[in-house]
Amino acid sequence: MTSVQPISGAASAAVNSLLDEAVAQSAVPTLKVMRLQAGILGTPAAGALFSSNQLLSSNLLLPDSFGVIHVGETFSAYLGVLNSSSELPVRGLSMVAQLQTPSRRILLPTALDARNNNNSSLREVAPGEGVDALISRRLEEVGQHILRVEVSYDSGGAKTLRKFYRFNVTNPLQITSQSVTRSGDATCLVSINVENIMEKQGVTGGAVAISSIGFDAADGLSAMEINVEDESDESNDPEQNIKQRQSAVELYDSTVILHPGDSYQYLFSVSAESEAAALRGIACGDELGKAVVVFQKTMGELGKIYS
């Protein structure tokens, strides 16, 4: 009969260390990033035949990159972390997303950022499964931006996986002040010109619909858009106003749509609102305010820019 030799203390410690190391092993996560945006209308290739009912079916394409991004739009992205291993889990997972603009770096909060919830977001992803999060941020600067995503996990020690996604943000519209004309001591007229400049920047873009335009006046001032057509069509008769309501086609035709290179002018009356501003008046060189334009692109993407 063979006797079993007892394991020495050193050997036992080595075995326990190997067991702890095996338990602490983690699979390497896979990071997937996709910008959330509307589809694009594809252009048929030369010689391709398409029927009329394929205009919004076969020709509706999903973008294969971050695409054209304009200032004033909201940048949204899907962040997915996958565990492609069939045996090991991903342990101690946490994800941090940052948007680097030309002037600063902005932290984008996500549900997978452990720093937001006192380490309660540290997760374990089972084999073959995944977790995801959404981020969004309105873009306020023109120039190159970088989306920085860092995934941390625990595999016998803290490990990180970093990826960087660069994209350029351009200005779809150019807002300029054409002229400022005084109309009394406390009132002036401001002419604003809005131009679609996509093609001037070498960016392929379509038409832009101006949803609304306003003038954010400085403190003590108020602004009002001057529209001669609206004033001439006003009526005190409710029945007459009902008859003058626009149909959907007429409303579309009345919307300002700027194709590349097109421009449109707006006129605002800026007046002193407070008593102190009225007594002081509006002098040459005074800050009057800024124009605010809300626009929509071809597929309905909404944006807002300031002069």
Side-chain angles (χ1 to χ4, degrees), residues 186-250:
T187 303
C188 62
L189 301 178
V190 180
S191 176
I192 301 295
N193 184 74
V194 181
E195 181 183 2
N196 185 337
I197 59 171
M198 291 188 190
E199 290 190 350
K200 289 184 178 181
Q201 298 176 337
V203 177
T204 302
V208 173
I210 305 300
S211 299
S212 65
I213 182 170
F215 194 88
D216 188 5
D219 293 339
L221 304 178
S222 62
M224 178 183 63
E225 183 182 358
I226 298 177
N227 193 323
V228 179
E229 294 182 0
D230 288 346
E231 294 178 356
S232 62
D233 292 340
E234 289 180 353
S235 174
N236 295 324
D237 186 0
E239 295 184 359
Q240 183 67 20
N241 289 334
I242 293 176
K243 292 179 181 179
Q244 291 180 353
R245 287 179 180 174
Q246 293 178 312
S247 65
V249 175
E250 291 172 337

Side-chain angles (χ1 to χ4, degrees), residues 17 36 44 56 61 67 81 87 122 143 161 176 216 220 241 246 262 272 302 307:
S17 177
L36 300 179
L56 293 178
L61 306 176
V81 180
E87 299 178 355
L122 290 174
L161 171 66
T176 56
D216 188 5
N241 289 334
Q246 293 178 312
D262 291 350
L302 193 66
S307 61

Side-chain angles (χ1 to χ4, degrees), residues 151-164:
V151 177
S152 303
Y153 62 100
D154 186 5
S155 181
K159 297 185 181 296
T160 57
L161 171 66
R162 297 184 180 93
K163 286 195 175 182
F164 305 93

